[in-house]
Each structure stands twice: as C-alpha cells, then as structure tokens.
C-alpha cells in the first residue's frame, strides 16, 4: 500500500459524513507504518473502544470505512477465524466489525459486517510479521503471494458490499 497522508485518509471515508471524518482520531504514527507490508491501513479509536477504521485501495480509489464492534470479551478457550486473512485467534482476537453502508442505504440504517482480526493487523499476520497470541495460522500450500491476494480479495468483497 502507498503511504497515506491525513488528508488522503479523511477524504476517503464512504460511510460517514465529512464532519465525522474530520473529527475521527487518526493514528499518530503514520510516518512509521510499514506501508510496503500493508494491504490496508487499520486502527482502533483510542477514545471510543467500540470503533475502528480502515482505509484500503479498492477499484482504483481509496476507500475509508468506519467500523463498530462489540466490546464483548470471550473466554480464552474460544477460538475464532478472521474471514479476511484466515488467522485464528483465542478469546476476543476476532470480532464482528460492522459498517454502515455508503449513501442512502447507510442513512436508512443498513449495515454490513465481517469477522476480522480485532487489531486489524491482517496484512502483518499473512506476511508472518506478527504472530497471534497462542494461536497461529494454518499451514497452507498457497504461497505467501497467493495468501496476500486472497486477503485483498476477501477485503474487496466486504468493501463491495458497502455499495450494494
């Protein structure tokens, strides 16, 4: 992914108002992000524990999405699978992220959801740059490039649903 500026990020959001996008908390470490290893920029809002955001390149455009997720904690014996990068996590490492749809459908209250790594580090898990807590990734016959392509495809599928 290419390096993003604050302006790039704020103008990319498709499911919130310009005012909401202007007020949302951005990561303070944009200049230190491993951009070459990211398929999307994802971060949690430190001031609102039930909110997170992601920005990805989709269909030639930059698409920003405001996400919400429940603060329900699961026991450590419970394991879940991220539907974007297919990494398993114990406890609350995977969460149902919901996003208001873009446009009129979103204003009417319609939303879509995806089970995703709660820390939004899918890109790093796929590349082996981050290892999930007492969990891991399934051993696969796909190459790392194929796994990255699958992750990008899974995320693109979710982003398409925002406009349906």
């Amino acid at each position: 992914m290419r390096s993003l500026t604050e302006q790039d990020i704020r103008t990319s959001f498709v499911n919130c108002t310009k005012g909401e996008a202007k007020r949302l908390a951005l990561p303070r470490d944009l200049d230190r992000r491993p951009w070459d290893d990211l398929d999307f920029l994802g971060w949690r809002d430190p001031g609102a524990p039930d909110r997170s955001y992601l920005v990805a390149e989709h269909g030639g455009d930059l698409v920003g999405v405001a996400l919400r997720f429940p603060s329900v904690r699961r026991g450590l014996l419970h394991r879940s699978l991220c539907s974007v990068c297919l990494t398993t996590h114990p406890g609350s490492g995977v969460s149902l992220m919901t996003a208001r749809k873009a446009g009129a459908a979103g204003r009417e209250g319609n939303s879509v959801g995806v089970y995703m790594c709660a820390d939004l580090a899918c890109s790093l898990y796929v590349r082996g740059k981050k290892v999930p807590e007492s969990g891991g990734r399934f051993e696969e016959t796909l190459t790392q490039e194929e796994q990255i392509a699958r992750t990008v495809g899974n995320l693109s599928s979710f982003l398409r649903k925002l406009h349906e």
Side-chain angles (χ1 to χ4, degrees):
M1 175 170 212
R2 67 179 172 92
S3 156
L4 301 177
T5 66
E6 179 179 338
Q7 183 66 21
D8 292 334
I9 295 168
R10 292 195 188 280
T11 58
S12 71
F13 282 87
V14 297
N15 69 336
C16 61
T17 66
K18 288 181 183 181
E20 289 169 329
K22 184 178 180 180
R23 291 186 301 272
L24 62 88
L26 294 181
R28 293 187 175 148
D29 64 346
L30 289 175
D31 59 331
R32 295 186 311 274
R33 292 284 170 135
W35 294 106
D36 290 340
D37 293 326
L38 297 180
D39 302 306
F40 63 90
L41 172 65
W43 73 99
R44 293 184 67 170
D45 188 331
D50 66 336
R51 289 190 189 147
S52 59
Y53 308 96
L54 74 81
V55 178
E57 295 176 71
H58 177 70
D61 294 322
L62 211 52
V63 176
V65 181
L67 301 162
R68 289 191 175 257
F69 59 95
S71 58
V72 176
R73 297 279 179 199
R74 294 185 181 132
L76 287 176
L77 296 178
H78 180 85
R79 299 189 63 74
S80 298
L81 179 71
C82 172
S83 62
V84 174
C85 67
L86 304 185
T87 299
T88 60
H89 294 273
S92 57
V94 170
S95 188
L96 174 62
M97 306 273 183
T98 58
R100 195 170 52 199
K101 284 188 148 193
R107 288 189 295 277
E108 292 173 5
N110 296 325
S111 62
V112 294
V114 62
Y115 283 95
M116 196 168 181
C117 296
D119 62 1
L120 301 168
C122 298
S123 301
L124 300 179
Y125 291 125
V126 169
R127 288 169 174 79
K129 307 242 179 206
K130 188 170 183 179
V131 178
E133 263 182 53
S134 68
R137 297 189 34 82
F138 294 109
E139 211 168 303
E140 298 189 65
T141 57
L142 295 178
T143 66
Q144 187 177 65
E145 290 76 25
E146 291 169 327
Q147 291 176 44
I148 291 167
R150 180 185 59 207
T151 297
V152 170
N154 289 342
L155 181 62
S156 290
S157 175
F158 169 69
L159 295 174
R160 268 193 305 278
K161 292 176 185 174
L162 291 171
H163 297 283
E164 291 176 349

